[in-house]
Every structure is written in C-alpha cells, then in structure tokens.
C-alpha cells in the first residue's frame, strides 16, 4: 500500500526553483504533511506547483521531505505568453492522469480540493479502483459538478 498526496505546496528544498502556489494552500498542505509524517512510515507528496519563470522547462524532480516522505514535482513550462499558459493549463490534467494510471487497488490518494481537476481524479478512481480521499472544506458555487453519485461509484 502506497499513500500519495496530490496538492499545491513547496518545501525548503524546492524554494530555489521559483515555483508558485497559493500561500494558503502551501501552509495547509505543509500542516497536513507534517501530520502524515507522524503517523505514516512512507508517503509521497506530488506537488502541482508551477514555475514562475518566463522561459524554459522545469523538469520533474524529487526530494526527501520531513522524516518519512518524498516530495515530487510535475514537469512545468515557462509561461511567457498566453499560448504557453493555455497549453500548460490543458497539459497539467493529462500529466496527473498519467501518474494516476500507474496506481493500483491497494493505493491511497489524498487529493487537495482543486475542482479544476476533480473529474480526472474521479475517472482514474473508477478505472484503477484506488482509495480516494478528497480534502474539501470550502463551498464553491460550482460544487454541483462533484456530486455524491460521482463520488460513490
């Protein structure tokens, strides 16, 4: 059994790579990861942070985090114009889906509440049968897309 936490966060090791995440997401995710570290012997954090650089590619890298974890980035691209931003916006869910395709029934995925990719996680859960834990706390006006019927399947 492997545990994966998909979220938007950075760490001290990643600070030099100019990745962007919301400060609220970063502090909340770091808090949860510290709690996971105290109770789980091995886990992996997959951060969906994006580079703020205007040019170039930031390839996927991995570092140890706290005592028991590992933090991994997803490849991201410089965002110097609207076309690249749009490509990145469309490519990110595809990158996540390919990561989820490798999971099995005994894996657990904890997913930070980005409704931007909720369908990707729900479709992958139905196909791969892993355990999905959604971290939802806010109310959004478009929450009706993520209904109980979709979550139960």
């Amino acid at each position: 059994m492997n545990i994966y936490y998909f979220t938007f966060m950075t760490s001290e090791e990643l600070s030099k790579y100019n990745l962007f995440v919301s400060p609220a997401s970063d502090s909340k995710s770091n808090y949860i990861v510290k709690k996971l570290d105290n109770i789980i012997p091995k886990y992996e954090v997959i951060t969906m942070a994006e580079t703020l650089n205007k040019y170039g590619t930031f390839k996927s890298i991995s570092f140890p985090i706290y005592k028991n974890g590992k933090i991994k980035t997803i490849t991201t691209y410089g965002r110097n114009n609207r076309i690249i931003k749009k490509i990145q916006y469309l490519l990110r869910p595809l990158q996540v889906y390919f990561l989820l395709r490798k999971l099995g029934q005994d894996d657990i995925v904890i997913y930070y509440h980005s409704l931007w990719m909720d369908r990707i996680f729900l479709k992958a859960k139905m196909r791969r049968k892993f355990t999905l834990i959604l971290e939802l706390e806010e109310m959004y006006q478009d929450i009706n897309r993520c209904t109980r019927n979709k979550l139960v399947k």
Side-chain angles (χ1 to χ4, degrees):
M1 172 180 74
N2 296 310
I3 297 176
Y4 301 93
Y5 181 35
F6 283 79
T7 190
F8 294 86
M9 73 175 271
T10 60
S11 67
E12 287 182 32
E13 295 84 2
L14 292 173
S15 62
K16 64 182 175 184
Y17 294 105
N18 201 21
L19 296 174
F20 172 75
V21 294
S22 149
S25 168
D26 194 35
S27 63
K28 170 87 184 245
S29 298
N30 271 295
Y31 172 79
I32 289 172
V33 170
K34 286 177 186 174
K35 296 299 179 187
L36 284 174
D37 200 68
N38 290 332
I39 58 173
I40 298 172
K42 183 181 168 192
Y43 61 91
E44 186 171 344
V45 177
I46 293 104
T47 180
M48 296 179 280
E50 296 181 358
T51 185
L52 287 174
N53 296 340
K54 288 194 171 200
Y55 302 99
T57 302
F58 177 75
K59 299 206 184 255
S60 177
I61 56 173
S62 179
F63 290 102
I65 187 170
Y66 303 118
K67 294 183 302 192
N68 303 320
K70 184 168 80 168
I71 187 166
K72 179 180 180 179
T73 64
I74 298 175
T75 301
T76 182
Y77 305 96
R79 303 174 67 158
N80 61 334
N81 62 42
R82 285 187 211 159
I83 295 170
I84 299 296
K85 286 180 187 178
K86 189 67 167 173
I87 291 170
Q88 174 78 359
Y89 183 79
L90 296 172
L91 185 61
R92 181 53 48 117
L94 191 60
Q95 291 171 309
V96 170
Y97 182 74
F98 279 108
L99 287 172
L100 293 171
R101 260 184 31 179
K102 298 175 184 175
L103 303 183
Q105 286 184 324
D106 58 337
D107 293 324
I108 298 173
V109 173
I110 305 169
Y111 170 54
Y112 186 75
H113 64 85
S114 171
L115 292 177
W116 168 45
M117 285 200 266
D118 64 347
R119 290 186 178 147
I120 299 295
F121 281 86
L122 294 172
K123 284 179 183 176
K125 180 204 179 331
M126 285 188 279
R127 289 191 178 123
R128 304 302 301 169
K129 308 290 187 214
F130 56 79
T131 302
L132 178 62
I133 300 171
L134 295 173
E135 179 191 336
L136 297 170
E137 62 186 34
E138 289 98 359
M139 294 301 293
Y140 294 94
Q141 56 185 321
D142 60 353
I143 197 74
N144 60 351
R145 289 187 330 163
C146 187
T147 63
R148 180 164 171 69
N149 290 339
K150 287 182 184 178
L151 293 174
V152 172
K153 290 182 183 177

